[in-house]
Amino acid sequence: MSHNLLQRVSTRQLKACLAIALSLPLLWVALGIWREAQQPTSGFGPDPAEGLLHFLGSTAIIILLCAFSLSPVKRRLALPALGPARRMLGLFAFAYVTLHFVTYGWLYIEASFSLLLEDVVERPYITAGMMAVAGLLPMAMTSTAAWRRRLRRNWQRLHSAIYVVVPLAILHLAWLRKDGFAEVFVYALWFLIMLLERWWWRRQKAGAN
Ligand code: HEM
């Protein structure tokens, strides 16, 4: 798609395309569950619970980083139509994080609250993951225009939690990884570039005033 064509895409068309693209991993999960039901271990690899958990976790972190990248990309490519897509990206990220957490709660600790507490206390990567979810939850709950109006400046403050949530999610991954850090490095670099762009843009804006 050329840059010009991208600029002519309406917000509604963009949101429709995005909703379809963001639902594809869900379709993959549904297909995996169906394949698993047909023949064990054919859906998500030799350890289906782990395969599903990892797939949902990776999807969540990638969409989270996409949501964090939206403002810089919108500015740099002069694509104002991208603005309203941020809420959708954020909500999809939250949905995949929730599914990731539900998979862990259901298949790993079998809905045991005491095992969850034990993991939160004893496993730093679970602590970091839970803290990331705790930051995302109020953002998802207050994502509507009505909440934005009601909270006014506090809405912005609440949603700045993204600057903590993304590093916590990356830390979660870094802590649990036993083999290689290539993925962690790529996500951390992605986050850093988007952070630098924001810093640079604020500096330019301050210089212009
Ligand atoms: C923003 C929140 C979160 C994000 C973005 C996230 C993302 C991820 C990612 C990317 C992975 C590794 C996937 C791979 O290796 O391919 C992972 C693994 C995992 N996550 Fe999360 N996660 C989050 C929160 C949580 C929470 C709240 C829990 C549980 C309380 C949790 C439990 C796990 C577990 C048990 C694993 C697998 C550990 C292992 O393989 O030994 N995550 N997560």
Side-chain angles (χ1 to χ4, degrees), residues 93 152 209:
R152 293 197 197 133
N209 289 332

Side-chain angles (χ1 to χ4, degrees), residues 53-54 57-58 100-101 104 129-130 132-133 172-173 176-178:
L53 189 73
H54 284 203
S58 301
H100 176 69
F101 176 65
Y104 157 83
M130 286 302 277
V133 173
H172 166 70
L173 182 61
L176 69 88
R177 265 289 145 93
K178 294 139 211 140

Side-chain angles (χ1 to χ4, degrees), residues 29 32-33 36 44-45 47-56 98-112 115-116 119:
V29 169
I33 293 172
E36 194 65 34
F44 300 102
D47 183 341
E50 192 184 87
L52 177 61
L53 189 73
H54 284 203
F55 177 74
L56 290 167
T98 307
L99 287 176
H100 176 69
F101 176 65
V102 168
T103 305
Y104 157 83
W106 182 26
L107 301 176
Y108 270 54
I109 54 169
E110 292 168 352
S112 158
L115 280 183
L116 172 67
D119 268 0

Side-chain angles (χ1 to χ4, degrees), residues 36-132:
E36 194 65 34
Q38 304 296 308
Q39 195 188 336
T41 74
S42 68
F44 300 102
D47 183 341
E50 192 184 87
L52 177 61
L53 189 73
H54 284 203
F55 177 74
L56 290 167
S58 301
T59 307
I61 204 164
I62 289 169
I63 300 179
L64 201 61
L65 277 161
C66 287
F68 187 66
S69 311
L70 209 79
S71 298
V73 170
K74 187 180 81 176
R75 274 196 290 273
R76 295 293 153 185
L77 301 183
L79 292 170
L82 280 183
R86 192 168 57 176
R87 177 168 174 249
M88 189 184 283
L89 274 168
L91 287 177
F92 265 94
F94 181 69
Y96 284 107
V97 165
T98 307
L99 287 176
H100 176 69
F101 176 65
V102 168
T103 305
Y104 157 83
W106 182 26
L107 301 176
Y108 270 54
I109 54 169
E110 292 168 352
S112 158
F113 188 66
S114 58
L115 280 183
L116 172 67
L117 279 184
E118 211 173 281
D119 268 0
V120 168
V121 174
E122 284 174 13
R123 294 173 199 245
Y125 77 88
I126 295 285
T127 321
M130 286 302 277
M131 282 166 75

